[in-house]
Amino acid sequence: MIKKNVAIISGKTAGKLSRLLGNNGSTLPGVVAIKIDPNIIRKLSHQIKHFIFITGTNGKTTTSNLLTHLLRSTGMRILNNFEGANMVSGVAACLINNTTILGHLHYDYAVLEIDEASLPVILKQITPQMLIITNFFRDQLDRYGEIDMLIKDIEKAIHPIETKMILNADDPFVFRLSSLNKDNVYYGLGKQAYAFGDYGMSESKYCPLCGEEMRYDHIHFNQLGFFSCSCGFERPTPHYEIDSVQSNPLTFSMKNETYQMNMSGTFNVYNALAAITCAAELGIQDKNIKDSLPNFQLANGRMELFFYKGFPYIVNLNKNPSGMNVSISEILSTQYEKQIVFFINDFIADGKDVSWIWDIDFECLQREDIGRIICSGSRASDIMLRLKYAGIDPNKVIQIPSIEKAIQAAFSHPMPTYLLPTYTALQEVKNHTERSIKKENESCTL
């Protein structure tokens, strides 16, 4: 008890001091608390009866935040790591930050996004009531390794626990986990739901069971679609399936019901469906879900919308080939003149290996409506070189390594703009964007 209390007080103090010094400090309370009491997560988690984990490569934060929104709309008290701190120290920090000084947590549910590589460690300390798995794409090979290795580690971690699994039926990598014979619930998109951009399949086309090449009756994007193999491995029939999707704003239909959301990014339909599936399985009524969806606002750099001199500036986190390809597909769905700013860093949280940029379909940016492209971040020269090999008009491409100066350059030519940062660039991009807009608004009021 003494060790736990010291860990809580020390973690809270460290976090407060960090924020006073101008830092984010989202994980520091957890780092400090775990140093003092390695079992702090297990000890604090006993006070919350129901845990829901969200893991996978893309969509964790949006799914987690949306599910939290849906549950809170019914009056539930929900603990959520909304900032996206999803590794072991981040989960500990979330618990520390929301506990009282005496160590009490007063919540009905904890909805936590969990880093894929951290999931096995977390599952040794907390058994979730439900586990949502969004998708698996190649991401940060220097940290996660190949997908097959990652999935095997996750399989071993899930095998001994009892939990309901909410699985993306369209992803063969996710469907692999159905072999664990848990209480599985599947969600997915119908064949005619939406025509996503076609930029090929960068992940494995081969069956994870027998190694033969799988057949696809339809592909949404990347490896997500209607897959099957002669050995019997095939896409399951989803319990929750979207029939049609419209973008801007995101609208979709399912079981003769239409759902509307106040956000863009058609790929977010998967995140919305995952959250809806989980909420429905928890007994939330359809009417409550439909009424709550339009009030949800994306934040934390996931298709986050700002306006400057009447033009939209959209910030969207990108960290792997699949995510970037989908972002580019969204950008190219519009015909008006626009500019793109790529912020590519190679710090630890981003992954030191940036070879993933060569798996992105930059060649499709050879269009008249792409007015100019700015390359920024610690690996600005790498993205510059990649665009050269993609055949992009060099007169349209500018290299500005400084993130602040790149933002200034983007605002000096007001037009619809897409700001695409990696993890470590995200907060800096948001901060400079917000400051530029604030400065413009203040000058307009003078």
Side-chain angles (χ1 to χ4, degrees), residues 136-373:
F136 289 117
F137 299 113
R138 281 179 298 129
D139 186 28
Q140 297 186 32
L141 294 178
D142 52 345
R143 189 163 75 87
Y144 294 123
E146 286 292 347
I147 295 176
D148 188 63
M149 297 168 55
L150 176 65
I151 295 175
K152 284 180 178 178
D153 288 341
I154 291 176
E155 282 178 326
K156 291 177 183 177
I158 296 175
H159 183 268
I161 70 172
E162 289 300 322
T163 186
K164 176 178 283 191
M165 296 175 63
I166 310 294
L167 303 176
N168 185 343
D170 297 343
D171 189 343
F173 292 128
V174 173
F175 182 57
R176 269 180 63 173
L177 299 174
S178 65
S179 64
L180 294 169
N181 296 318
K182 304 299 179 182
D183 184 3
N184 299 326
V185 178
Y186 303 106
Y187 67 92
L189 303 188
K191 285 185 180 180
Q192 307 304 320
Y194 187 80
F196 290 91
D198 181 14
Y199 39 79
M201 185 184 295
S202 60
E203 310 303 347
S204 176
K205 301 177 182 179
Y206 300 96
C207 176
L209 297 187
C210 70
E212 293 296 319
E213 185 170 354
M214 291 188 294
R215 297 185 301 273
Y216 273 85
D217 294 332
H218 179 81
I219 295 177
H220 294 305
F221 61 85
N222 219 300
Q223 82 272 11
L224 273 58
F226 284 65
F227 56 88
S228 64
C229 180
S230 58
C231 73
F233 182 83
E234 63 179 349
R235 176 187 186 266
T237 300
H239 298 87
Y240 299 82
E241 185 173 67
I242 286 177
D243 304 312
S244 65
V245 182
Q246 294 181 344
S247 58
N248 298 321
L250 188 60
T251 305
F252 52 91
S253 63
M254 178 173 58
K255 297 179 181 177
N256 298 317
E257 295 284 349
T258 300
Y259 298 80
Q260 295 183 332
M261 302 190 69
N262 185 26
M263 66 182 191
S264 57
T266 314
F267 57 88
N268 277 311
V269 72
Y270 270 111
N271 304 325
L273 182 55
I276 290 171
T277 299
C278 186
E281 288 296 308
L282 289 171
I284 308 301
Q285 298 299 310
D286 287 346
K287 186 179 186 305
N288 287 339
I289 293 173
K290 287 180 65 176
D291 291 346
S292 300
L293 284 177
N295 300 322
F296 176 70
Q297 297 286 337
L298 277 174
N300 292 334
R302 277 72 173 179
M303 294 300 289
E304 193 166 356
L305 179 63
F306 300 90
F307 284 96
Y308 181 80
K309 293 188 176 181
F311 293 102
Y313 280 68
I314 298 174
V315 179
N316 193 36
L317 172 70
N318 287 272
K319 58 192 181 71
N320 53 49
S322 175
M324 186 72 83
N325 277 329
V326 172
S327 290
I328 290 175
S329 177
E330 289 288 328
I331 293 170
L332 297 182
S333 67
T334 62
Q335 301 298 319
Y336 49 72
E337 185 180 13
K338 59 189 75 72
Q339 64 181 336
I340 305 172
V341 190
F342 295 107
F343 303 90
I344 308 295
N345 280 350
D346 64 346
F347 305 132
I348 293 176
D350 306 296
K352 302 294 289 183
D353 182 358
V354 297
S355 62
W356 60 274
I357 65 175
W358 291 89
D359 292 328
I360 299 168
D361 187 14
F362 287 118
E363 283 73 11
C364 64
L365 296 178
Q366 300 178 46
R367 291 190 2 175
E368 290 297 323
D369 57 311
I370 306 296
R372 69 179 193 154
I373 301 174

Side-chain angles (χ1 to χ4, degrees), residues 15-194:
K16 187 172 183 178
L17 289 174
S18 177
R19 289 188 291 274
L20 287 173
L21 293 172
N23 300 315
N24 192 334
S26 59
T27 62
L28 184 60
V31 173
V32 172
I34 290 172
K35 284 285 187 182
I36 296 171
D37 187 350
N39 296 312
I40 190 67
I41 292 177
R42 179 183 288 111
K43 290 178 180 178
L44 291 179
S45 67
H46 288 322
Q47 299 181 61
I48 302 175
K49 187 175 181 180
H50 302 294
F51 278 83
I52 300 171
F53 289 171
I54 300 93
T55 195
T57 308
N58 294 337
K60 294 186 293 291
T61 301
T62 301
T63 302
S64 171
N65 290 351
L66 176 54
L67 179 58
T68 296
H69 169 77
L70 293 177
L71 298 183
R72 282 178 178 163
S73 69
T74 67
M76 294 184 187
R77 295 167 299 178
I78 309 297
L79 177 68
N80 177 233
N81 53 344
F82 66 94
E83 294 176 327
N86 57 23
M87 291 189 275
V88 176
S89 58
V91 171
C94 179
L95 294 169
I96 293 291
N97 290 337
N98 289 280
T99 189
T100 67
I101 200 70
L102 297 177
H104 299 305
L105 286 163
H106 304 289
Y107 294 94
D108 301 309
Y109 281 85
V111 177
L112 304 176
E113 67 162 285
I114 307 293
D115 170 77
E116 308 93 283
S118 300
L119 182 66
V121 179
I122 299 295
L123 288 179
K124 290 179 180 178
Q125 304 182 64
I126 303 173
T127 298
Q129 177 186 355
M130 293 189 183
L131 173 60
I132 300 174
I133 302 182
T134 60
N135 48 62
F136 289 117
F137 299 113
R138 281 179 298 129
D139 186 28
Q140 297 186 32
L141 294 178
D142 52 345
R143 189 163 75 87
Y144 294 123
E146 286 292 347
I147 295 176
D148 188 63
M149 297 168 55
L150 176 65
I151 295 175
K152 284 180 178 178
D153 288 341
I154 291 176
E155 282 178 326
K156 291 177 183 177
I158 296 175
H159 183 268
I161 70 172
E162 289 300 322
T163 186
K164 176 178 283 191
M165 296 175 63
I166 310 294
L167 303 176
N168 185 343
D170 297 343
D171 189 343
F173 292 128
V174 173
F175 182 57
R176 269 180 63 173
L177 299 174
S178 65
S179 64
L180 294 169
N181 296 318
K182 304 299 179 182
D183 184 3
N184 299 326
V185 178
Y186 303 106
Y187 67 92
L189 303 188
K191 285 185 180 180
Q192 307 304 320
Y194 187 80

